[in-house]
Amino acid sequence: MTSTLSPHLLSPFNMGDLSLKNRVVMAPLTRARAGIERMPNALIAEHYRQRASAGLIISEAVAISTQALGWERSPGIYTDAQAEAWKQVVETVHSQGTPIFFQPWHCGRASHSSFHPEEGLSVAPSAIPINYPYIDTPIGPQDHETPRPLETEEIGQVVEDYRQAAIRAKAAGFDGIEVDGSNGYLIDQFLQSKTNHRRDRYGGSLENRFRLLREVLEATISVFPANRVGVRISPNGSFNDMGSPDYRETFLYVAKQLNPYGLAYLHVIDGLGIGFHELGEPMTLAELRQVFDGPLMGNCGYTQETAETAIREGNADLIAFGRLYMSNPDLVERFANGWDLNPLPDKSIWYSPGEKGYTDFPTYREAETT
């Protein structure tokens, strides 16, 4: 699909051995519609089907174990039944001719013991709590707890949980995987010096702090080919109380270390819309383009115009949209035709159960006929 409005954004793109019909990506969106059973369902499948004119869809974050949980009613993939239930989502997206990548999730310290009472405290690289007023939990808002540092010998099991999630995702039919090293979840906690004060082989030096991401990535590549695996980072982000003084050194190192793998893409939350740590100048796609050789995906706060510019100027190959996709299931068609966008839903229903604020947004053509 091409348009004089966005000829670059709406042009096809070859991502490894996948041919994307455009460069618009649906970003991972936690929407908490999986119920207390944490099972994908027909409502979730319909939500993704509505948005399948994107060139690529990245699934919402999906818990890889009970230890990994940290969000109410978010889906899991730590049982065979959950993996089987994901098939309806994948098949629905594939029926629209769109590939879908899977995003495995471990919340690390961004959790609470009430999510996993049998395991007890949440785990993290170090015993450093999130400095936020509270966390929403199954027993209501609670103070953040001080997490339990993972023992060195426990980390191998976490890596294995990621590998098993990849195996189940492949069985469910997903086209690839996005390893999430962003937004203050477990892998990001290991990457950043603010949250990683370890003295073993997973802490201290940049090489050691990168080790968990490297091990998870290599476990994933043992299941999916590298050109079907992406990595996500958020070098500018303050979400989940993140932001390290050496952020620029850290994430330039990470980007360089990813080069030999031949990944599908590096997904960078370069926008500042969900918080900026203000520890220096924001890192940009142009800066990361100097050190990362593969496809780059930008994310967070992009408009149609800024996305088109980023691709036209060569700073990005793909742009992921999150909030715009919440209320505009036909986002690509609106971009192509210059149609107005629906307003964002009220935040009070972003994570509420049911179809309201989830699957009830009209396409532009539907709105025109009512």
Side-chain angles (χ1 to χ4, degrees):
M1 182 182 298
T2 60
S3 165
T4 55
L5 295 172
S6 300
H8 296 86
L9 180 63
L10 299 181
S11 66
F13 181 68
N14 291 325
M15 189 179 74
D17 60 349
L18 285 174
S19 296
L20 309 186
K21 54 197 172 188
N22 56 63
R23 297 166 186 249
V24 176
V25 178
M26 179 179 165
L29 289 168
T30 296
R31 302 301 306 279
R33 259 63 176 198
I36 59 173
E37 303 87 2
R38 300 187 180 275
M39 296 283 284
N41 51 51
L43 182 67
I44 293 174
E46 173 61 12
H47 176 257
Y48 285 109
R49 184 201 65 78
Q50 291 176 348
R51 290 153 179 80
S53 57
L56 173 68
I57 289 177
I58 305 169
S59 81
E60 62 208 278
V62 183
I64 61 171
S65 65
T66 54
Q67 182 194 72
L69 295 169
W71 201 290
E72 289 200 85
R73 299 186 304 277
S74 64
I77 199 165
Y78 47 85
T79 71
D80 291 340
Q82 289 169 333
E84 183 67 25
W86 274 110
K87 289 182 179 179
Q88 66 180 311
V89 177
V90 174
E91 291 168 359
T92 299
V93 173
H94 283 171
S95 72
Q96 305 300 304
T98 303
I100 179 170
F101 273 34
F102 174 81
Q103 192 188 76
W105 198 19
H106 194 306
C107 288
R109 71 171 188 162
S111 183
H112 187 271
S113 57
S114 58
F115 283 101
H116 31 68
E118 292 186 6
E119 287 92 347
L121 288 172
S122 301
V123 297
S126 303
I128 303 170
I130 290 178
N131 185 25
Y132 278 1
Y134 68 91
I135 178 175
D136 288 316
T137 80
I139 57 173
Q142 299 292 314
D143 292 337
H144 278 278
E145 299 170 322
T146 300
R148 176 179 68 81
L150 280 162
E151 299 291 340
T152 305
E153 58 270 19
E154 291 182 281
I155 295 176
Q157 182 57 55
V158 174
V159 175
E160 177 62 16
D161 289 340
Y162 273 98
R163 191 179 74 87
Q164 290 298 324
I167 290 171
R168 289 192 171 104
K170 190 171 187 178
F174 281 95
D175 300 284
I177 286 199
E178 178 175 278
V179 176
D180 186 17
S182 73
N183 284 342
Y185 297 113
L186 186 68
I187 293 175
D188 195 22
Q189 293 162 27
F190 270 83
L191 286 174
Q192 295 210 41
S193 59
K194 178 177 183 176
T195 44
N196 186 342
H197 294 183
R198 300 177 72 91
R199 296 183 178 179
D200 64 357
R201 65 180 182 271
Y202 292 93
S205 67
L206 282 168
E207 179 183 7
N208 285 352
R209 285 189 275 126
F210 178 71
R211 190 180 305 275
L212 178 61
L213 174 54
R214 177 174 61 78
E215 291 181 354
V216 169
L217 181 58
E218 291 177 356
T220 302
I221 290 172
S222 74
V223 180
F224 282 86
N227 66 359
R228 295 293 188 94
V229 177
V231 170
R232 192 186 203 208
I233 58 173
S234 53
N236 299 322
S238 62
F239 188 73
N240 277 324
D241 189 26
M242 298 303 289
S244 304
D246 59 347
Y247 69 100
R248 179 163 266 104
E249 178 188 7
T250 296
F251 288 101
L252 289 174
Y253 176 87
V254 169
K256 290 176 184 177
Q257 294 302 307
L258 296 176
N259 277 326
Y261 292 99
L263 299 177
Y265 58 80
L266 176 60
H267 182 176
V268 184
I269 303 175
D270 58 309
L272 311 181
I274 57 173
F276 175 43
H277 50 59
E278 299 183 351
L279 295 171
E281 289 298 314
M283 294 189 72
T284 65
L285 293 181
E287 182 177 4
L288 287 159
R289 180 69 96 187
Q290 298 302 309
V291 297
F292 183 69
D293 299 335
L296 269 179
M297 181 188 302
N299 178 225
C300 190
Y302 278 89
T303 65
Q304 178 178 0
E305 292 75 19
T306 59
E308 173 70 12
T309 298
I311 295 174
R312 185 183 68 246
E313 293 182 350
N315 294 322
D317 300 289
L318 303 156
I319 298 293
F321 297 88
R323 293 180 183 182
L324 292 187
Y325 255 124
M326 292 171 69
S327 54
N328 295 281
D330 57 339
L331 186 64
V332 168
E333 290 82 357
R334 289 174 187 260
F335 283 171
N337 294 285
W339 294 336
D340 291 339
L341 302 180
N342 287 327
L344 281 176
D346 187 89
K347 197 168 184 178
S348 64
I349 58 173
W350 285 12
Y351 310 114
S352 58
E355 67 178 23
K356 185 175 176 58
Y358 189 57
T359 57
D360 61 342
F361 294 102
T363 66
Y364 182 85
R365 293 193 184 282
E366 289 169 340
E368 286 289 285
T369 60
T370 59

